[in-house]
Amino acid sequence: MARRAVVLALALAAVMPLLSGGVDTQQVRLLAAKFNVTCVLVFGDSSVDPGNNNYIATPMKGNFLPYGKDFFRGRPTGRFSNGRLATDFIAEALGYTKAIRPFLHKRLRPVDILHGVSFASAASGYDELTANLSNVLPLSQQLEYFREYKMRLRQIAGARKAENIIKNAVAVLSMGTNDFLQNYYLEPIRPKQYTLEEYQNYLASCMFDDVKTMHSLGITRLVVVGVPALGCMPLVKTLMNQATCVEKYNNLSSSFNSKLNVKLDIARKELGMKVGYVDAYGTVRDAVNNPEKYGLIETSKGCCGTGTVEYGDTCKGMSTCANASKYIFWDAVHPTERMYEIIAGEAVDCLRKQLMG
């Protein structure tokens, strides 16, 4: 056992270079092999949507330049960034693929089914209404597609192996931002029903119900990404006419993340799931306050257009900064590939400490 612990410690130490931009994939793959990690399954919003929205009738798409400018071959895929997302880096670190495919991709390959896909949909949220407002996939529909995925997996691998793949998969859940920015603060329906505090509790309960559904469908390992520092988003700062992070919105992020963690602790105890939590809020705040630590320079605006208001359609065809890898934000809402790489480093560290410790 002691020798095995030393081998694991050496493997886990290889995870940390993700934060500075490099990964010893061979040793990280050893980590995955030791714990029999089979694939990565992704649920959420634009933070983890590699292009599912390309295949549905919604205006919330990112399948045009300058999105994807720094992706492989410089092509837009539907990812709301200049390049890859955190989940792409996680999958690469575990040794599966350099880019996770959307489940709705028309040419999904058996190898994609075996090593993991994303069901995420940009503009979605824990609240079903959030997704309906933009005609995107709510988490309930993402889970329906997961059921379809399981059937396709059984056809490829056989029932017993398919069950084992799901059991040993790592699921990632990343959403919540749109529930506040595209729903509660923009539409009149929820504020008439809930105070802000009550709405946070409602969202946390929705998340817990979805986690229970995931567990019933065979998922035993889950990583939940907290809501980032909403008050540091360039768009929020512009709307609130502030040059620095808006503490009111950051306090909301922190409060909601605390409520998520209470529910996740219940999931660990009542469902027996291995559940990890990624502190995207703390990571973004640290990058804003200490950019040199991560090799960043620009923390206040995005790379697309003016960097203060543009995202989605309004970013289309816009000029961009010379070097996005020095920016936290790609547009006025979404992080750059570099920032996603930093968040991925935190996520893989979370896997190490919370799911495989």
Side-chain angles (χ1 to χ4, degrees), residues 183 305 311 330:
N183 186 344
Y311 74 101
W330 169 244

XYZ file of all heavy atoms in Angstrom, residues 183 305 311 330:
38
model
N -32.056 35.646 -16.338
C -33.384 35.323 -15.833
C -33.782 36.276 -14.705
O -34.504 37.246 -14.938
C -33.430 33.860 -15.365
C -34.811 33.388 -14.967
O -35.722 34.183 -14.753
N -34.995 32.088 -14.857
N -13.979 43.067 -29.624
C -14.560 44.403 -29.745
C -14.012 45.352 -28.695
O -12.810 45.384 -28.422
N -20.876 40.168 -26.609
C -20.822 38.710 -26.435
C -21.880 38.111 -27.347
O -22.853 38.776 -27.712
C -21.042 38.293 -24.981
C -22.462 38.407 -24.469
C -23.280 37.274 -24.381
C -22.997 39.631 -24.078
C -24.577 37.368 -23.910
C -24.294 39.728 -23.604
C -25.078 38.597 -23.526
O -26.375 38.686 -23.073
N -12.606 36.591 -22.853
C -12.588 36.623 -24.311
C -13.584 37.658 -24.830
O -13.263 38.489 -25.659
C -12.912 35.248 -24.881
C -13.161 35.259 -26.360
C -14.321 34.958 -27.003
C -12.226 35.602 -27.386
N -14.173 35.099 -28.362
C -12.891 35.496 -28.621
C -10.880 36.011 -27.377
C -12.263 35.771 -29.846
C -10.257 36.279 -28.593
C -10.943 36.162 -29.801
